[in-house]
Amino acid sequence: MRVAVIGAGVIGVTSAFAVKSSFPSYDVKIFADVFSPDTTGDGSAGLWGPFLLSDTPAEDISRWAGSTHKWLEQLWKAGLSSETGVSLLPVTRVNSDYEDGAEPFWAKLVYGFQKISDQQLQRLNEEHKSNYRQGWHFITYTAEPVLLLPWLMEKFVALGGKVERRNIKMLHQLAEEGYDLIINCSGLGARELVADKAMTPIRGQVYRVKAPWAMHCILVDDDACNYIIPNIHSVVIGGTHQEGDFDRSVREEDSKHIYDGCCRIMPSLKASEIMRAWVGLRPGRPRVRLECESLSSPMGKEFKVIHNYGHGGSGVTLSWGCAMDVVEMIRNSKVPELNSKL
């Protein structure tokens, strides 16, 4: 069985590693024109944190996120934190836009979940000069892609996986080269690769700063969000969430929003050293696409594709859960005509 994986971001690499680990005899190869440290994920803080993604069912997000959380827990318990970038982190998640009183769907997936009391909320509002209406404390993981991706790639290659730097323009190229199954993890590239116009960029701009005293994540879950996410060697402060915006240049007005907003929340950041500003385009889609499709090439070659893309800003959070679904699609013969080759 020859399997081609398109994409070397966190979704592509976890999918490739999961398939090669589950089916050691398969010939699995990753094709991508961009690899770590230059993927979109590499600029992110890698915070595990589920968000509802438009039309994606909440039960799917919960299942994928829960599976990923357990996987990160295994890596952390195995003492692989410094290699994989997986760290435990206390989080305060607040919002000013609404107050529904309901426990979030992800509450049972994290450690030590508790709602912030009115008294605590009032104190936070005074400290941050904000108007939060509700919030929660909990502990979860960061999995920094700039460390996780090279580690996964090394493990994948050690299992016999292969890698090729190449820009795949059409899926049938690989089918005509003899690949039985193509796993499409092309992210925003699916706009062109499979003409999926539902894919839209969600522009994110952040700073990385040196602030080793920051050891607690603060996430303001609003449209005009600010967040402070400690990583192992730096702290990521942000951010923006600008849909349909392809601009990858650093914008002064966004820099001011990030810096002023985060310094208002944590004044000590004014003493931090700015390491770099970064902009990435998250692969937005109304619904995560995780499904199998049967196609044929212009030469009449029939082939199977598993699409696994459109995770928005939740790539790390959903990665391992979605990779496990890819494995199950193959194992349970939901990929027709593959079962005879298992």
Side-chain angles (χ1 to χ4, degrees), residues 82-228:
S82 60
E83 297 173 55
T84 61
V86 175
S87 303
L88 266 181
L89 189 68
V91 179
T92 297
R93 183 165 165 173
V94 292
N95 76 67
S96 311
D97 293 341
Y98 62 92
E99 181 183 5
D100 56 16
E103 191 172 270
F105 70 95
W106 43 265
K108 290 182 172 57
L109 301 177
V110 297
Y111 311 122
F113 176 88
Q114 58 178 304
K115 186 175 181 180
I116 297 176
S117 69
D118 291 342
Q119 186 177 3
Q120 291 172 313
L121 208 57
Q122 183 179 348
R123 191 172 72 249
L124 278 178
N125 280 327
E126 290 171 359
E127 290 175 358
H128 297 176
K129 300 179 178 63
S130 298
N131 187 33
Y132 306 138
R133 298 177 65 183
Q134 67 178 2
W136 309 277
H137 292 306
F138 57 94
I139 297 173
T140 188
Y141 294 99
T142 51
E144 300 174 37
V146 74
L147 294 171
L148 182 64
L149 285 175
W151 182 84
L152 281 171
M153 192 70 83
E154 182 183 327
K155 298 297 179 186
F156 171 69
V157 171
L159 290 172
K162 299 169 186 171
V163 178
E164 182 176 331
R165 186 180 293 273
R166 181 172 156 199
N167 188 5
I168 303 299
K169 298 287 190 183
M170 292 168 285
L171 295 178
H172 66 75
Q173 283 178 262
L174 296 172
E176 289 169 0
E177 292 173 20
Y179 286 93
D180 307 288
L181 171 64
I182 299 168
I183 303 174
N184 173 22
C185 306
S186 56
L188 194 58
R191 279 177 61 90
E192 283 72 40
L193 182 63
V194 293
D196 188 345
K197 298 311 176 188
M199 290 298 299
T200 184
I202 304 173
R203 181 180 177 276
Q205 180 171 321
V206 299
Y207 274 130
R208 278 193 183 269
V209 301
K210 276 193 181 298
W213 58 88
M215 305 182 77
H216 186 116
C217 170
I218 300 173
L219 176 64
V220 183
D221 192 7
D222 294 345
D223 287 338
C225 62
N226 281 118
Y227 50 80
I228 301 164

Side-chain angles (χ1 to χ4, degrees), residues 210-250:
K210 276 193 181 298
W213 58 88
M215 305 182 77
H216 186 116
C217 170
I218 300 173
L219 176 64
V220 183
D221 192 7
D222 294 345
D223 287 338
C225 62
N226 281 118
Y227 50 80
I228 301 164
I229 308 174
N231 276 178
I232 294 174
H233 301 298
S234 62
V235 177
V236 176
I237 64 173
T240 65
H241 185 94
Q242 297 150 334
E243 296 190 18
D245 192 333
F246 284 92
D247 183 10
R248 298 197 61 171
S249 63
V250 174

Side-chain angles (χ1 to χ4, degrees), residues 16-35:
F17 176 66
V19 170
K20 185 62 181 172
S21 299
S22 301
F23 308 105
S25 64
Y26 282 16
D27 179 2
V28 184
K29 190 170 189 177
I30 297 173
F31 293 89
D33 57 344
V34 174
F35 290 85

